[in-house]
């Protein structure tokens, strides 16, 4: 997690409220979270840094203080921190529509991969060659026992 100190010598933290941009459009939010969703498989800390760099350093959509508050709230709540950051950042920038767009854009890539992998497995499992290989390998161990 990127630390935000109150030391004025920190160049990232020297963003004043007047330097914060007017904010993204819903399309900007969707594009940004979709990119994070496509690159976030298995890497919470790296994605948190990407979020910080994108929302604060690059676009200046939120202040470091806002991000610190959002992150602190997300750490206190149960569940996946990245989803909570996504929802609260979207809400901070565009209200309820921002939360919805951000969350959907962030989740769609991984949900799509999961659905495709499940469909591939189902098709492979039904194929005669795939079925016999699955029965001898790990697939047979993961499948429910025959009746």
């Amino acid at each position: 997690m990127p630390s935000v100190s109150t030391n004025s010598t920190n160049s990232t933290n020297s963003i004043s409220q007047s330097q914060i941009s007017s904010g993204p459009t819903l399309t900007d939010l969707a594009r940004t979270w979709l990119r994070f969703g496509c690159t976030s498989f298995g890497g919470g800390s790296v994605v948190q840094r990407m979020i910080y760099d994108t929302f604060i350093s690059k676009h200046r959509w939120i202040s470091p203080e806002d991000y610190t508050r959002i992150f602190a709230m997300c750490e206190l709540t149960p569940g996946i921190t990245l989803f909570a950051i996504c929802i609260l950042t979207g809400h901070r920038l565009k209200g309820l529509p921002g939360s919805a767009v951000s969350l959907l854009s962030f989740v769609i890539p991984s949900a799509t991969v999961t659905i495709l992998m499940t469909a591939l497995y189902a098709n492979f499992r039904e194929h005669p060659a795939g079925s016999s290989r699955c029965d001898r390998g790990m697939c047979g161990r993961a499948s429910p026992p025959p009746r």
Side-chain angles (χ1 to χ4, degrees), residues 120-133:
L120 283 170
Y121 171 76
N123 287 336
F124 183 73
R125 183 80 171 114
E126 296 300 318
H127 192 273
S131 179
S132 65
R133 288 186 181 125

Side-chain angles (χ1 to χ4, degrees), residues 3 10 13 20-21 34 40 46 48 53 55 62 79 87 107 120 130 132 140 143:
S3 65
N10 185 344
N13 201 30
I20 301 299
S21 76
L34 191 63
S40 67
V46 172
Q48 288 173 15
D53 288 345
F55 281 85
I62 60 174
I87 292 166
V107 171
L120 283 170
S132 65
S143 301

Side-chain angles (χ1 to χ4, degrees), residues 26-80:
L26 286 175
T27 304
D28 292 334
L29 273 179
R31 216 178 282 131
T32 302
W33 286 108
L34 191 63
R35 184 172 53 93
F36 293 148
C38 289
T39 59
S40 67
F41 294 95
S45 298
V46 172
V47 177
Q48 288 173 15
R49 184 61 197 201
M50 289 170 50
I51 292 167
Y52 186 90
D53 288 345
T54 300
F55 281 85
I56 296 166
S57 302
K58 181 178 179 184
H59 296 296
R60 299 178 185 231
W61 288 337
I62 60 174
S63 69
E65 293 79 16
D66 283 341
Y67 183 80
T68 301
R69 281 188 213 98
I70 288 169
F71 184 79
M73 284 191 289
C74 295
E75 284 291 301
L76 292 173
T77 59
I80 301 170

Side-chain angles (χ1 to χ4, degrees), residues 60-135:
R60 299 178 185 231
W61 288 337
I62 60 174
S63 69
E65 293 79 16
D66 283 341
Y67 183 80
T68 301
R69 281 188 213 98
I70 288 169
F71 184 79
M73 284 191 289
C74 295
E75 284 291 301
L76 292 173
T77 59
I80 301 170
T81 302
L82 285 176
F83 286 171
I85 290 172
C86 175
I87 292 166
L88 288 178
T89 304
H91 188 270
R92 168 71 178 83
L93 293 168
K94 290 293 178 188
L96 189 58
S99 290
V101 165
S102 296
L103 183 62
L104 286 173
S105 299
F106 188 58
V107 171
I108 284 174
S110 58
T112 302
V113 168
T114 302
I115 291 167
L116 290 174
M117 295 287 285
T118 303
L120 283 170
Y121 171 76
N123 287 336
F124 183 73
R125 183 80 171 114
E126 296 300 318
H127 192 273
S131 179
S132 65
R133 288 186 181 125
C134 272
D135 289 340

